């Protein structure tokens, strides 16, 4: 059986799923926040390790059975100091490099549009937009709550 891994990280919870080639759910697990800016790199490693272990126990497999995985991590691509650590973190947990890491916004886009061309916008504490068209991707915003809550400079005006 061909099995794919999806990890949708977030500030509140982290969803782990395994699906087969036809998109059927094989196993699922929900873990705590994976926001490394709050829980630290070691905390993120623990969340991923514990979540994958629970998922693999359910499915009675190990990481080697995963054909490919995607790790959607909050703040991925926003912290250059942590980027290499985030991208390398799944390898020892899976035992291979058949995965990719990206911003958790990619999970929102894929889930809302089924991987088809289009744009997904999230507006909450912060805001981010991500889209894909004809194999090309673009994103705007998503620079965290620090910038999202910063007041505009004195004298600035918004134009509609």
């Amino acid at each position: 059986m061909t099995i794919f891994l999806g990890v949708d990280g977030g500030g509140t919870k982290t969803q782990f799923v395994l699906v087969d080639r036809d998109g059927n759910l094989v196993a699922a697990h929900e873990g705590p926040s994976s926001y490394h800016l709050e829980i630290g790199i070691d905390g993120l490693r623990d969340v991923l390790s514990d979540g994958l272990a629970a998922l693999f126990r359910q499915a009675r497999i190990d990481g080697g059975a995963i054909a490919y995985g995607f790790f959607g991590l909050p703040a991925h691509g926003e912290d250059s100091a942590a980027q290499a650590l985030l991208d390398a973190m799944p390898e020892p947990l899976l035992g291979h490099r058949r995965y990719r890491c990206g911003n958790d916004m990619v999970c929102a886009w894929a889930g809302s549009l089924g991987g088809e061309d289009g744009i997904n916008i999230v507006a909450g504490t912060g805001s981010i937009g991500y889209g894909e068209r004809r194999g090309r991707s673009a994103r705007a915003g998503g620079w965290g709550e620090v910038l999202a809550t910063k007041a505009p400079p004195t004298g600035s005006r918004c134009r509609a």
Side-chain angles (χ1 to χ4, degrees):
M1 176 172 23
T2 303
I3 299 176
F4 299 97
L5 166 68
V7 178
D8 183 4
T12 304
K13 63 185 176 191
T14 303
Q15 293 292 140
F16 298 81
V17 297
L18 294 175
V19 296
D20 67 16
R21 175 184 306 257
D22 297 321
N24 298 308
L25 185 65
V26 174
H29 175 75
E30 182 174 298
S33 170
S34 54
Y35 189 36
H36 77 275
L37 296 174
E38 287 184 0
I39 66 172
I41 294 294
D42 290 337
L44 173 60
R45 186 177 295 106
D46 290 345
V47 168
L48 295 180
S49 178
D50 293 348
L52 292 175
L55 198 64
F56 296 163
R57 272 193 308 274
Q58 280 183 50
R60 296 187 175 109
I61 63 167
D62 63 20
I66 305 299
Y68 199 80
F70 182 79
F71 291 77
L73 303 173
H76 186 278
E78 300 165 22
D79 181 358
S80 60
Q83 194 64 46
L85 293 170
L86 296 176
D87 289 339
M89 193 173 292
E91 183 178 351
L93 302 174
L94 294 173
H96 58 77
R97 293 184 184 180
R98 295 185 308 271
Y99 69 88
R100 184 169 76 89
C101 294
N103 191 278
D104 57 327
M105 181 62 197
V106 177
C107 299
W109 164 81
S112 67
L113 296 168
E116 297 292 328
D117 287 353
I119 299 170
N120 182 274
I121 305 289
V122 174
T125 303
S127 63
I128 186 169
Y130 177 85
E132 291 194 15
R133 183 170 186 253
R134 296 182 181 169
R136 298 185 68 194
S137 65
R139 101 177 223 191
W143 308 119
E145 64 277 353
V146 174
L147 291 178
T149 59
K150 184 177 176 184
T154 304
S156 67
R157 296 181 186 198
C158 296
R159 294 184 185 148

